[in-house]
Amino acid sequence: MTEDITIPLPSLIHRIGGEKAKQTKVIALQYSCELKRVRRSRNWVVTGDAINIQSFTEQLKTQSDGFGYLIQKIETALLGHADKLEPLEAKLARLIKQTPGITLGELLQLTQCTMAEARVARSNADL
């Protein structure tokens, strides 16, 4: 759940320009993300926790124009990582609400949480 994801950004400099890429690198670092070039190619990647990358994208939306390509690429890639965008507590609550008869073992298997977290979520759902 907390592992970093990597989103490829082919031809980033050609799409947004060198100055915008430098600005974007600084903004990415503020959100604990890394925007870097792939070896010596023209391709770039952004790496970080899914929630941090989503926050980084929201910040780019508030900036001036010119980040449309980058925002669109990141948001499209984040659709495949929707499970990592939801906090563990919310995910446990949603699973318990959807399937009231779900066992603690099934919760552990689906979310890779601890037994204590599953029990707390179960007791909170019963209230």
Side-chain angles (χ1 to χ4, degrees):
M1 296 262 320
T2 58
E3 47 184 68
D4 287 349
I5 61 172
T6 300
I7 300 173
L9 304 167
S11 303
L12 181 68
I13 295 288
H14 298 282
R15 308 274 182 159
I16 67 172
E19 275 306 307
K20 294 267 187 206
K22 288 178 186 175
Q23 290 175 347
T24 308
K25 281 178 89 170
V26 172
I27 295 170
L29 286 175
Q30 294 172 355
Y31 289 93
S32 301
C33 299
E34 184 179 22
L35 180 69
K36 64 181 181 178
R37 198 168 152 195
V38 178
R39 293 181 291 283
R40 295 179 61 172
S41 71
R42 64 183 182 171
N43 299 323
W44 290 62
V45 294
V46 63
T47 305
D49 186 18
I51 294 173
N52 290 344
I53 291 177
Q54 186 178 36
S55 301
F56 163 60
T57 306
E58 294 300 321
Q59 177 63 31
L60 287 178
K61 288 180 184 178
T62 64
Q63 300 291 320
S64 62
D65 293 334
F67 295 113
Y69 165 78
L70 184 59
I71 292 168
Q72 184 266 333
K73 280 299 244 186
I74 292 173
E75 286 182 341
T76 303
L78 283 177
L79 291 176
H81 298 283
D83 60 324
K84 296 177 183 170
L85 295 173
E86 187 177 29
L88 180 62
E89 294 80 22
K91 187 173 186 177
L92 287 168
R94 179 180 51 82
L95 288 171
I96 292 170
K97 186 177 179 183
Q98 285 177 347
T99 320
I102 194 167
T103 64
L104 291 177
E106 291 170 335
L107 282 174
L108 293 172
Q109 183 180 16
L110 289 172
T111 62
Q112 283 78 42
C113 67
T114 64
M115 181 65 80
E117 291 169 331
R119 286 182 178 155
V120 168
R122 171 71 75 189
S123 67
N124 288 343
D126 290 341
L127 297 178

